[in-house]
Amino acid sequence: MKVAVQSRDEIGQLAADFNDMTENLRGLIQRVGASAEHVAATSEQLTASAEQTSKATEQIAVTMQEVATGTDEQARTVEQASETVTGMSTRLQQIAASTEQVSATVKEASQIIAKEIKPSERLLPR
């Protein structure tokens, strides 16, 4: 809307200033509208980005749970292996102790046999 300026007196100057103000307001409203559209577009982009971030976060949580489960399984496997090695070590110690006993028995038997062979050698003809 424009006011027709017909004179150059105060009323004419007021009408011209009113026309300038109207143009300035029209420009301001257009800039506000453009800014609102830009804000709306940016908001949509941020919403899409937030959804992607949410999905990524969910995937990370699932992956972390899988890693935790795998770690628990590995810990159980290591514990079982440790128990197996401990059992084997105990059995090896038992075998070593038995071997020492057998060795001592063989040594003792050898000594007894050696003592018995000496008198028998005297009996044999030469």
Side-chain angles (χ1 to χ4, degrees):
M1 173 175 188
K2 241 182 174 183
V3 175
V5 179
Q6 296 176 355
S7 67
R8 297 211 175 263
D9 61 359
E10 289 98 7
I11 298 295
Q13 184 62 40
L14 182 61
D17 289 344
F18 180 79
N19 286 339
D20 289 344
M21 181 185 74
T22 303
E23 281 301 313
N24 288 338
L25 284 174
R26 186 174 289 124
L28 178 64
I29 290 170
Q30 289 174 348
R31 287 191 304 272
V32 167
S35 292
E37 289 176 9
H38 180 70
V39 167
T42 302
S43 175
E44 288 178 17
Q45 290 174 348
L46 286 173
T47 299
S49 192
E51 288 175 4
Q52 289 176 347
T53 301
S54 176
K55 288 178 183 176
T57 301
E58 288 174 10
Q59 184 60 44
I60 289 170
V62 167
T63 301
M64 289 177 65
Q65 183 61 42
E66 290 172 354
V67 168
T69 300
T71 301
D72 287 344
E73 289 174 10
Q74 285 180 344
R76 281 192 295 277
T77 301
V78 167
E79 186 175 332
Q80 290 172 349
S82 175
E83 289 172 0
T84 300
V85 168
T86 300
M88 290 173 62
S89 175
T90 301
R91 288 184 196 98
L92 287 173
Q93 288 173 352
Q94 291 170 349
I95 289 170
S98 295
T99 302
E100 286 179 19
Q101 289 176 350
V102 168
S103 177
T105 303
V106 168
K107 185 177 180 180
E108 188 178 317
S110 294
Q111 290 173 350
I112 291 172
I113 290 171
K115 285 181 187 178
E116 293 299 322
I117 289 179
K118 285 184 182 180
S120 300
E121 286 178 351
R122 289 185 205 149
L123 297 173
L124 291 174
R126 292 187 186 197

